[in-house]
Amino acid sequence: MTAVDLALGLRDVVREGAAESEQLRTMSPAIVEAMWTSGLMTAFNPAAGGGVEPSFAEMIDTWIEMAWQDGSFGWVGIANLPSSFAAATYLPDAGFAEVFTANGNRVTMGGQFFPNGQGVAVDGGYRLSGSWSFGSGTGHAEYVAAGFMPMDDGEIRWAAEGVPDMQVAVVPRDQVEFKDGWHVQGLKGTGSYDYAIADVFVPQERTFALFTREPRRGSSPATRMGMMPVTAAGHAAWALGVAKSMLDDVEELAATKYRMSDMAALASRPTFQKGLAHHVAAWRAARLLVHDAFGTAEAAVAGGAELTPGLRADMRVAAVFATDTARACAEWAHLVAGTSAIREGTRLERAFRDIYTGTQHAFISEKVAIDAAQVWLGIVEDQFGL
């Protein structure tokens, strides 16, 4: 079974649990357990961590399916699955043994990889302190990822000229103070809590470099491409999945939808037909671009080539474009659905809130497109954050 098949098999449990997840403000226990029993939770891991090492095409289509089912479920998919993928791939052997092997690879991980913390270097590791916002998927995670900057004698450690060293710590849940704060417009069911860590010792073997592309486990090209492409693919696929759910729901609704003072069903209106054709085509084009950009980079790495700044820029721009296109599709679907899209608890209403929450993320912002264009134009040789 592919990862896409595993996700498809969860449609019923996700449909039944979506409203409960929103009420709980974190993924329902039934859905989390289904992710485990199906094998989906570990599917993206390297083989040593219980995964199947899927291709980018398979990861993208899995995330699209998950987000189509429910925006919060899809968001947990692009939070928990890449977090455990990264930890299982890049942790030193001792850290992998402690976190994964000792727990039979049953490890749910979420959190914030951006280096909002500071790690004071001490013998054997770091004393970690900091505060992180929007720790996606932490509501049900046994381990929490926390990005930080190492400090040596009160000074920031530098990885290269102008580039600070950025590391990720993997911290057991009981050493983390959760602030919650997850009272939001959309993605309510993701358990994206704020959290803090206060002077906690993290051994070196439970840390890895944020931008590393040197896998300790796994043989797929993705393991040699690092966290940024995997994260970008997730954001692109998530937006496409939510938008597709709205386009599909509106297409189904159109046969029976009558607007006030309109004697014909929505499906018979030429303006609706034109709009549907345009937005479905735009969605398909965005999906093809995402598959092309990530597939091209993956093939290059599989063939032994370097993951160049240009290839990285192509992937990030594809993710931004897919997000912008998905948002436009969602807006159109919401408008043509009329009052059917505003009734609380419907898929259309929830998806609309979700997409306008998830697309606020900095990872697919305007600045990313600008950084990528500067690489294309030769204004800069590289942008390390791409």
Side-chain angles (χ1 to χ4, degrees), residues 84-99:
S84 60
F85 158 86
T89 300
Y90 302 117
L91 278 176
D93 289 345
F96 177 81
E98 177 188 350
V99 175

Side-chain angles (χ1 to χ4, degrees), residues 17-229:
E20 181 186 4
S21 295
E22 288 224 323
Q23 292 167 358
L24 295 172
R25 294 181 302 111
T26 191
M27 196 57 37
S28 78
I31 294 176
V32 174
E33 182 58 30
M35 291 177 73
W36 275 112
T37 56
S38 67
L40 181 60
M41 192 72 88
T42 58
F44 288 14
N45 286 1
V52 297
E53 303 190 24
S55 67
F56 266 99
E58 188 177 341
M59 287 191 281
I60 289 163
D61 286 345
T62 300
W63 281 320
I64 288 175
E65 168 61 26
M66 293 177 73
W68 181 91
Q69 293 179 30
D70 174 62
S72 287
F73 178 55
W75 195 266
V76 162
I78 70 168
N80 291 152
L81 274 58
S83 295
S84 60
F85 158 86
T89 300
Y90 302 117
L91 278 176
D93 289 345
F96 177 81
E98 177 188 350
V99 175
F100 287 89
T101 307
N103 292 299
N105 290 329
R106 190 180 172 94
V107 177
T108 310
M109 194 175 301
Q112 171 61 262
F113 282 59
F114 192 80
N116 284 335
Q118 290 188 347
V120 177
V122 295
D123 287 345
Y126 304 93
R127 303 295 309 186
L128 179 63
S129 298
S131 295
W132 294 261
S133 298
F134 308 126
S136 297
T138 57
H140 57 273
E142 293 95 3
Y143 284 87
V144 175
F148 71 97
M149 292 188 184
M151 306 291 290
D152 297 312
D153 298 322
E155 300 290 333
I156 292 175
R157 182 186 299 169
W158 297 91
E161 185 176 352
V163 181
D165 188 11
M166 292 179 249
Q167 297 281 325
V168 178
V170 175
V171 184
R173 185 182 189 87
D174 61 8
Q175 296 180 353
V176 177
E177 179 187 359
F178 289 96
K179 306 291 188 178
D180 192 357
W182 193 238
H183 299 273
V184 285
Q185 175 190 33
L187 296 179
K188 292 175 180 285
T190 60
S192 300
Y193 301 154
D194 297 345
Y195 58 97
I197 296 172
D199 194 32
V200 167
F201 175 72
V202 180
Q204 179 79 37
E205 58 264 25
R206 267 201 276 115
T207 67
F208 60 90
L210 175 60
F211 293 113
T212 184
R213 294 182 211 135
E214 298 177 2
R216 295 173 183 268
R217 270 149 244 106
S219 58
S220 70
T223 64
R224 302 194 300 279
M225 293 169 71
M227 271 297 290
M228 298 304 108

Side-chain angles (χ1 to χ4, degrees), residues 344-358:
E344 190 173 8
T346 63
R347 269 172 54 91
L348 275 168
E349 183 266 344
R350 187 168 63 243
F352 187 72
R353 286 188 287 104
D354 288 344
I355 204 157
Y356 272 89
T357 300

